[in-house]
Each structure stands twice: as structure tokens, then as C-alpha cells.
Amino acid sequence: MNISSITNSIGSIASNQTNQVNKTDDKTFENMLKDTISEVNDTQVQGYKAMEGIATGNVKNLQEAVQKIEEAELSLKLALEVKNKAIAAYKEIGRMQV
């Protein structure tokens, strides 16, 4: 077994991962937060449209509509839990003695 080919492969994987990390460094926390909130909002809108489709009878695939509603509910619950954890961490930092 040729070890040099393995180390070359590992080196190329590591350099690819480093490049990917550097690409995400230019995003600020604010931009990431806005993007995430926008995604949650989009899933909520899709969920409401699916509910409207079920109520009006315009939905073709009931299973898909219910799936969108559930996805919207879960994404909102996740966003709320992340918000609660962030607030708890902020309060904990505020209670720390320096």
C-alpha cells in the first residue's frame, strides 16, 4: 500500500475544508441571522399556503401539504428554542463576575 497517495489525498481534503471555512468567514453573524429568519419566514408562508389550499380544496397532494405545515411548525419551534437559549446565555454572561 502506497502511503504517499493517502497523505496526498488527506492533504487535498484538508485544503478543500480550509477553503470552505474561509468562504464562510466573510459572512457576519448579522447576515447569517437574517438569512435564517428569512428561511423560517419562507417555511411559514409555505405552511400557511398549504393550510389555505387544504381549506379551499385546491390542494392536489394532501400528504405534501401536511408535510409543509409540519415543517413550518418545526422550524418555528427550533427558531424559538435557539432564541431562548441565546437569551439565557446572554443573561448568564450578564451575571458573571469580572
Side-chain angles (χ1 to χ4, degrees), residues 8-9 17 19 30 34 45 56 60 68 76 85 92:
N8 291 340
S9 298
Q17 288 176 347
N19 291 338
E30 178 184 8
K34 284 181 182 179
V45 169
T56 59
K60 294 180 182 174
K68 286 183 181 181
L76 184 61
K85 292 288 184 178
E92 184 68 28

Side-chain angles (χ1 to χ4, degrees), residues 12-55:
S12 66
I13 291 171
S15 66
N16 287 341
Q17 288 176 347
T18 304
N19 291 338
Q20 290 174 353
V21 169
N22 290 338
K23 289 178 184 176
T24 59
D25 286 343
D26 60 348
K27 281 187 114 178
T28 63
F29 179 74
E30 178 184 8
N31 291 339
M32 289 173 49
L33 188 61
K34 284 181 182 179
D35 291 344
T36 304
I37 291 172
S38 176
E39 287 176 19
V40 170
N41 185 48
D42 290 342
T43 57
Q44 292 298 307
V45 169
Q46 289 176 358
Y48 286 130
K49 286 181 181 178
M51 279 192 270
E52 183 181 318
I54 290 172

